[in-house]
Amino acid sequence: AAARMAAAEAAAAAASASTMIATAESPIAPMLSFQAMGFEPGSPSSMRLATTYTNLAGVFKALGRAVESAVCYSHVANLRPNCPETQKDAASAQKDLGRLDEAIVFYRRALGVKPDMPDAYANLVHSLMCVCEWGHRTELFVWLDALLRAQMRHGQMPSVQPFHAMAYPLDSELVKDLSKAY
């Protein structure tokens, strides 16, 4: 009975934290997220813990606490190594902090699980460019060019922003089309 009560309290705390995130009442949402983790009886399931850490990462990001957000996203990536979205989120959080080598590792993990993630691919290429890692430069840009053209053909928002595209060896007409899309 005590374990069910603790689980119910954890679920209530997690639900409250999620509601506060959605309604911008985020200053106390981190506390509730930690409460949700602490009330979990025994060893928490990785899915529930991953969801809690994802919510907490979003709260920290909304509060401008990028380092704490990145730590949470990294925890989620470790809890769910076969989920490409969590790997991409961890990569983006590291990239936002200027930790490009760490971001590259997470982007590669995401693409290793799901090779057709346009945003992860575009961000990997950008991160590699920033650290001057060009072991496969030609292949990267050939694939990126094809990806962007396919996105444009299908009416999708391109994964590369115009100001990044201007620094890439892309056709000037493609760069102009990307700019129009934004």
Side-chain angles (χ1 to χ4, degrees):
R4 276 193 303 245
M5 180 60 128
E9 290 176 18
S16 294
S18 294
T19 301
M20 289 181 179
I21 292 166
T23 61
E25 295 179 42
S26 54
I28 62 173
M31 177 193 66
L32 289 170
S33 294
F34 283 125
Q35 182 182 1
M37 287 184 275
F39 276 116
E40 193 74 29
S43 178
S45 71
S46 63
M47 186 58 143
R48 172 124 186 225
L49 190 57
T51 299
T52 302
Y53 269 118
T54 299
N55 290 341
L56 189 56
V59 170
F60 283 137
K61 186 173 181 177
L63 293 173
R65 294 164 60 179
V67 172
E68 291 149 306
S69 179
V71 168
C72 290
Y73 280 125
S74 293
H75 282 309
V76 176
N78 289 329
L79 289 167
R80 300 188 66 209
N82 295 321
C83 178
E85 289 79 16
T86 62
Q87 300 301 317
K88 180 182 68 70
D89 291 343
S92 295
Q94 294 298 327
K95 187 177 177 193
D96 288 347
L97 291 172
R99 298 175 181 165
L100 298 174
D101 289 332
E102 291 91 339
I104 290 166
V105 169
F106 284 115
Y107 285 129
R108 285 185 169 146
R109 284 183 192 167
L111 292 165
V113 176
K114 184 179 179 188
D116 62 340
M117 286 187 78
D119 290 342
Y121 189 84
N123 281 305
L124 172 63
V125 170
H126 183 255
S127 297
L128 290 169
M129 186 177 114
C130 290
V131 298
C132 300
E133 169 60 48
W134 292 118
H136 303 283
R137 184 177 195 270
T138 301
E139 298 127 60
L140 289 171
F141 280 113
V142 166
W143 203 90
L144 186 62
D145 184 280
L147 167 75
L148 294 170
R149 290 180 190 282
Q151 286 180 314
M152 300 291 287
R153 251 190 332 274
H154 293 101
Q156 299 170 343
M157 182 61 74
S159 293
V160 172
Q161 296 179 5
F163 57 90
H164 288 165
M166 292 188 306
Y168 295 165
L170 299 173
D171 177 70
S172 60
E173 287 301 312
L174 177 59
V175 173
K176 189 168 35 171
D177 290 341
L178 292 171
S179 297
K180 288 177 186 176
Y182 275 87

